[in-house]
Amino acid sequence: MLALTDTTPAYRVLIVDDDLIQGVIICGVCTRIGYEARSVSSFQAAEQLIPTEPFDCITIDLSLGDRDGIGLLRLIAGLDPVPRVVVISGCESRILNATVRMARAAGIFDAISLPKPIDLVLLREVLTARCQDGHSRRRSNDRQRVDITAEHLQQALQRREIYPAFQPKIQLSTGRVVGCEALARWDSPDFGSVGPDVFIPLAEQGGCIKAMTWQMLRDSMEMARAYIGADSDFVVAVNLSATLLSDATIPEEIERLLNETGFPAKSLMVEVTETIAMADVFRAMDILLRLRIKGVGVSMDDFGTGYSSMSALARMPFCELKIDRSFVKDCLTDADMWKVVASSVAIAHEYNMKVVAEGIEDVDTWQALDAIGCDVGQGFEFSRALPLDAFAAWYDAWHLRLNATLAARG
Ligand code: C2E
Ligand code: MG
Ligand code: MG
């Protein structure tokens, strides 16, 4: 008879805690799950061990005697692959939440926190939960970043490998589709599916961002025409990148495109991030104002992530504000995030702007945002960005479901 031996390497956990009893308890939980656990009780010991031995998961007590665990987070963020991190601390929840946010921003995508005194059931659940694939995704992006050149991108544009996918924008109070955002996608025969976070910066550096944006604009207008026929309020949004916002000819060129195609200006929205808008306020103001005068909508994208949010809001002629998904994602569980979301909604309304919440991933968030008057939502709860035909199929199915729900309610 064949003996089957499990050759899968054990899942390795490092426990960093200056409280020896706590360290022993966490070690015990890990061992019972079948993990290989190691424990150190000082910052210095952890600092020496972390770069030299691979761990799948590291639990860190924030207070380590005369040192704190924050310095270790910086060290861990530089590892490849980046392990999972569980921050354990008796500090107040705001400090714990802020630490997790900082860890994620530094590149530890799979960072979570647990309060002390530690709940062993919760600890076991957290340790057995599947790791998110954030770091592997980042590695593959990094690899693509190195390999792809501006020439590849030029070729891809000519071969029409880059195309828009459309993500619906939903009126939160009714569930109606009020428009969509066009997001660039690249299916490359050589590199596979390449994300816009990789190829948009490359297009900007390599000088083909204008050609790409023009292609996105043309394709998006063509797509939206079918929907505007049935619903004249339907608006398609296209992202405008940094380099284009310093090109003073853009408003006239967009106007020419609108005239050529007969596409209504009010059915087009351009999305600009606040950081871009504030980089050269005078020039950006000039371009955005002229677009608004021509009837094109202007949306402030990723609100809250830049350094000048309020100032940009007060000065620029935006008609829509999109709350960045990093705030929306955890707004029901993180009171600090909820405050950002709720105050963004209130302030946007003060300026007579529509508010869009990005990254709605569940029905509870949808309802909570609707309850505070957020106008529109975008996110996986409704749909991911879809290619043309898939969007059409999704649109029909969504409205069938919506009408059936309304009919059932009488
Ligand atoms: P963005 O304009 O803020 O687009 C929203 C991003 O959030 C999209 O990522 C979208 O797929 C993602 N998203 C939407 N809903 C959810 C959700 O519920 N959960 C999660 N986790 N993510 C969600 P994507 O397509 O990777 O685009 C990233 C950024 O790339 C865009 O951010 C935009 O700044 C840029 N980008 C995309 N297409 C273009 C383009 O044609 N031109 C320019 N200049 N930039 C573009
Ligand atoms: Mg956008
Ligand atoms: Mg955004």
Side-chain angles (χ1 to χ4, degrees):
M1 206 168 97
L2 273 176
L4 294 178
T5 43
D6 184 4
T7 51
T8 319
Y11 189 80
R12 302 192 74 220
V13 184
L14 174 67
I15 295 127
V16 186
D17 203 316
D18 65 344
D19 178 338
L20 289 178
I21 297 177
Q22 196 79 33
V24 169
I25 293 173
I26 303 175
C27 260
V29 172
C30 290
T31 317
R32 254 171 277 134
I33 303 170
Y35 293 165
E36 194 182 306
R38 219 146 144 213
S39 165
V40 289
S41 58
S42 72
F43 182 96
Q44 290 76 6
E47 196 181 27
Q48 280 181 5
L49 191 60
I50 288 171
T52 54
E53 282 196 36
F55 292 97
D56 301 289
C57 174
I58 303 180
T59 76
I60 299 180
D61 177 16
L62 271 191
S63 327
L64 292 168
D66 56 342
R67 302 291 296 265
D68 61 59
I70 302 285
L72 292 180
L73 293 177
R74 248 173 265 127
L75 189 66
I76 295 169
L79 297 175
D80 182 8
V82 183
R84 170 166 229 224
V85 166
V86 183
V87 179
I88 301 176
S89 170
C91 293
E92 61 164 293
S93 62
R94 288 200 62 183
I95 296 178
L96 264 185
N97 291 343
T99 308
V100 168
R101 281 200 291 274
M102 197 204 82
R104 288 185 185 156
I108 309 173
F109 295 103
D110 196 5
I112 47 167
S113 66
L114 276 182
K116 254 184 180 177
I118 208 149
D119 173 339
L120 290 186
V121 178
L122 202 58
L123 174 67
R124 196 186 158 94
E125 262 173 30
V126 159
L127 286 171
T128 44
R130 280 174 58 85
C131 294
Q132 291 163 9
D133 62 347
H135 62 250
S136 53
R137 205 169 40 237
R138 189 174 72 149
R139 294 285 137 237
S140 104
N141 277 356
D142 286 351
R143 217 168 296 128
Q144 287 177 335
R145 257 188 201 110
V146 174
D147 294 342
I148 300 171
T149 63
E151 285 70 43
H152 289 125
L153 206 54
Q154 293 275 9
Q155 258 179 13
L157 264 176
Q158 279 154 14
R159 293 184 191 151
R160 288 293 209 146
E161 287 164 16
I162 294 171
Y163 61 91
F166 302 98
Q167 186 175 40
K169 284 176 150 176
I170 304 287
Q171 185 171 49
L172 294 181
S173 58
T174 60
R176 220 168 54 82
V177 182
V178 291
C180 63
E181 176 177 5
L183 292 157
R185 295 288 176 262
W186 179 12
D187 293 338
S188 160
D190 304 316
F191 304 105
S193 166
V194 187
D197 52 332
V198 174
F199 67 81
I200 297 287
L202 200 62
E204 290 189 332
Q205 292 152 22
C208 60
I209 189 67
K210 195 160 178 179
M212 184 182 297
T213 309
W214 246 241
Q215 193 170 302
M216 289 290 290
L217 276 165
R218 281 184 184 281
D219 290 352
S220 303
M221 288 178 187
E222 203 177 310
M223 173 272 185
R225 201 179 285 281
Y227 296 89
I228 293 164
D231 171 8
S232 60
D233 291 334
F234 190 94
V235 174
V236 66
V238 175
N239 293 280
L240 213 58
S241 82
T243 31
L244 294 185
L245 215 60
S246 56
D247 180 342
T249 63
I250 287 295
E252 274 66 44
E253 291 185 53
I254 291 186
E255 187 175 39
R256 204 171 313 130
L257 190 59
L258 291 169
N259 290 339
E260 259 171 48
T261 55
F263 191 84
K266 77 173 179 80
S267 308
L268 177 68
M269 175 88 78
V270 294
E271 295 191 6
V272 179
T273 66
E274 56 180 307
T275 316
I276 294 173
M278 293 308 284
D280 183 345
V281 176
F282 186 75
R283 205 177 277 259
M285 182 85 91
D286 179 293
I287 291 173
L288 297 179
L289 261 178
R290 279 154 65 212
L291 282 171
R292 289 283 278 130
I293 290 165
K294 293 175 197 311
V296 175
V298 175
S299 173
M300 179 192 268
D301 204 355
D302 303 347
F303 180 70
T305 57
Y307 295 103
S308 46
S309 312
M310 288 304 157
S311 156
L313 258 194
R315 296 204 231 170
M316 300 277 184
F318 291 104
C319 53
E320 180 185 271
L321 177 152
K322 296 185 80 174
I323 307 173
D324 189 66
R325 67 175 194 269
S326 58
F327 302 110
V328 175
K329 192 164 61 79
D330 301 318
C331 70
L332 293 192
T333 50
D334 185 331
D336 296 328
M337 294 297 109
W338 177 253
K339 281 175 201 144
V340 174
V341 170
S343 48
S344 302
V345 171
I347 202 143
H349 286 161
E350 287 284 321
Y351 285 103
N352 290 324
M353 295 160 74
K354 282 247 157 54
V355 193
V356 181
E358 291 180 335
I360 299 183
E361 295 191 356
D362 54 70
V363 73
D364 291 343
T365 308
W366 173 0
Q367 281 172 356
L369 290 170
D370 176 37
I372 57 165
C374 180
D375 306 284
V376 174
Q378 217 178 311
F380 297 168
E381 166 61 18
F382 312 111
S383 171
R384 288 173 187 256
L386 300 169
L388 190 67
D389 292 345
F391 184 89
W394 174 89
Y395 184 91
D396 291 342
W398 179 264
H399 278 107
L400 272 179
R401 252 171 59 202
L402 197 64
N403 292 338
T405 315
L406 290 177
R409 277 195 205 147

